[in-house]
Amino acid sequence: FDFLSRDRVKLEVMYRSSWVVGQVVDVVAEDMTREGVNIRGLEDPSDAIKINSVMDQLEIWDRLSDTIKWGRLYGGAIAVMLIDGQNVGTPLNIDTIGKDQFKGLLVLDRWLVTPTLTDLVTDFGVDFGKPKYYDVVADSFGLSGMRIHHSRVIRLDGVNLPYWQRIAENLWGISVIERLFDRLTAFDSTSMGVAQLVYKAHLRTYKVKGLRSIIAAGGKAFEALVKQIEHIRLWQSNEGMTLMDAEDEFETHQYSFSGLDAVLLQFGQQLSGASQ
């Protein structure tokens, strides 16, 4: 078992440093939200333009995209509907919302809220069996220490789990990265191995008569050898010249590697399958 979803810091480091993880988390969310929606069926079609304009002003699609991203990265996230003048701990009643009271969405990932595991929704519906409230941790940048009613949040999980595993994850899902972690490790290791081979594709050898004796004796003879090698490297860089003793030998060796592209492609395809 590798319960990667429980290692928040590791997931965050992977998201920051791995382009693969970044793409897996971001692309789906951004593709889902970049175009918004077409609103139809209104008596006045111009109302749809006004609605979309306000949604752009409140950055609704950006916040929904963030909710999807952090849900995929951490295994769960919520977007809290911010209604000015209302207590977030009470059930949401749309009829009590006046003009300009809706102020947008606040995104909180699973590590910023604690669901009430012993107080669940008992009303039949899509939220049945889910936490009734979410307590915001003190470290949150918004709504710190407050209790939020489930009707005021848009909840998005990562990968859904069967019952007992969901219980083990405090009723959240798991990160989408957990399933592909082994394939990602194999892909990165292979890529790094190929990169290291490139450095070995061009090798230079330098033969010195009595080298073993010089090293064993040490002292000035060894210091002179080291100084000679340093000068050879210096002159090779500046003038393209290799200056050495008449009895010394200098050689270069070229290596070519075949089949590495096919290996990388196979690991890339496995990673593509794991990330869907």
Side-chain angles (χ1 to χ4, degrees):
F1 293 108
D2 184 6
F3 297 106
L4 181 61
S5 300
R6 301 179 186 178
D7 193 340
R8 176 185 62 83
V9 175
K10 187 173 184 178
L11 285 173
E12 291 171 349
V13 172
M14 293 173 66
Y15 180 76
R16 292 183 58 165
S17 60
S18 171
W19 70 270
V20 177
V21 173
Q23 290 290 89
V24 170
V25 171
D26 291 349
V27 166
V28 173
E30 292 172 357
D31 280 354
M32 291 172 65
T33 57
R34 64 183 177 182
E35 294 294 337
V37 294
N38 293 323
I39 302 176
R40 300 176 180 175
L42 301 177
E43 293 183 3
D44 186 353
S46 64
D47 288 343
I49 299 177
K50 296 177 182 178
I51 293 173
N52 282 323
S53 177
V54 174
M55 292 183 73
D56 288 340
Q57 293 175 12
L58 297 176
E59 300 182 352
I60 298 301
W61 294 112
D62 290 336
R63 300 293 78 77
L64 287 175
S65 178
D66 289 343
T67 309
I68 300 169
K69 286 180 181 179
W70 308 149
R72 291 174 61 81
L73 178 63
Y74 296 114
I78 63 173
V80 184
M81 290 175 270
L82 302 175
I83 312 298
D84 191 22
Q86 293 195 5
N87 182 0
V88 295
T90 60
L92 178 66
N93 185 352
I94 297 179
D95 296 331
T96 63
I97 303 175
K99 183 179 179 181
D100 295 330
Q101 273 190 284
F102 177 60
K103 300 300 183 181
L105 301 173
L106 174 65
V107 181
L108 300 171
D109 62 63
R110 66 178 289 186
W111 299 105
L112 292 176
V113 293
T114 302
T116 55
L117 303 179
T118 58
D119 190 2
L120 307 179
V121 178
T122 56
D123 297 331
F124 289 161
V126 294
D127 292 325
F128 180 77
K130 294 181 180 179
K132 184 178 290 187
Y133 297 99
Y134 297 88
D135 294 325
V136 184
V137 301
D139 293 335
S140 174
F141 49 83
L143 303 179
S144 176
M146 301 185 70
R147 171 165 286 193
I148 305 171
H149 192 267
H150 74 93
S151 61
R152 295 180 179 270
V153 308
I154 301 171
R155 171 176 168 146
L156 293 171
D157 292 340
V159 178
N160 289 324
L161 295 171
Y163 177 75
W164 290 113
Q165 288 299 313
R166 193 164 66 250
I167 294 296
E169 295 296 332
N170 288 344
L171 299 182
W172 296 107
I174 61 172
S175 171
V176 296
I177 307 302
E178 185 166 316
R179 286 183 173 178
L180 60 85
F181 181 65
D182 61 334
R183 293 301 87 201
L184 176 62
T185 302
F187 178 79
D188 284 347
S189 299
T190 306
S191 300
M192 184 61 68
V194 172
Q196 293 296 326
L197 286 176
V198 173
Y199 290 104
K200 298 181 181 297
H202 178 75
L203 298 178
R204 296 179 295 176
T205 60
Y206 186 66
K207 298 179 181 179
V208 179
K209 185 177 181 180
L211 175 63
R212 185 179 291 105
S213 300
I214 296 174
I215 296 176
K220 293 184 177 181
F222 180 73
E223 293 176 1
L225 174 65
V226 173
K227 189 174 183 180
Q228 178 189 3
I229 299 300
E230 291 176 351
H231 278 275
I232 290 176
R233 295 178 62 185
L234 176 63
W235 290 327
Q236 279 182 335
S237 300
N238 293 340
E239 302 292 341
M241 179 185 298
T242 301
L243 184 64
M244 58 186 183
D245 190 274
E247 296 185 1
D248 294 346
E249 294 183 22
F250 178 80
E251 296 179 352
T252 61
H253 304 273
Q254 297 285 343
Y255 292 92
S256 61
F257 307 99
S258 61
L260 294 179
D261 55 340
V263 174
L264 284 174
L265 181 61
Q266 289 299 320
F267 278 105
Q269 289 178 347
Q270 292 183 20
L271 188 58
S272 297
S275 60
Q276 299 184 354

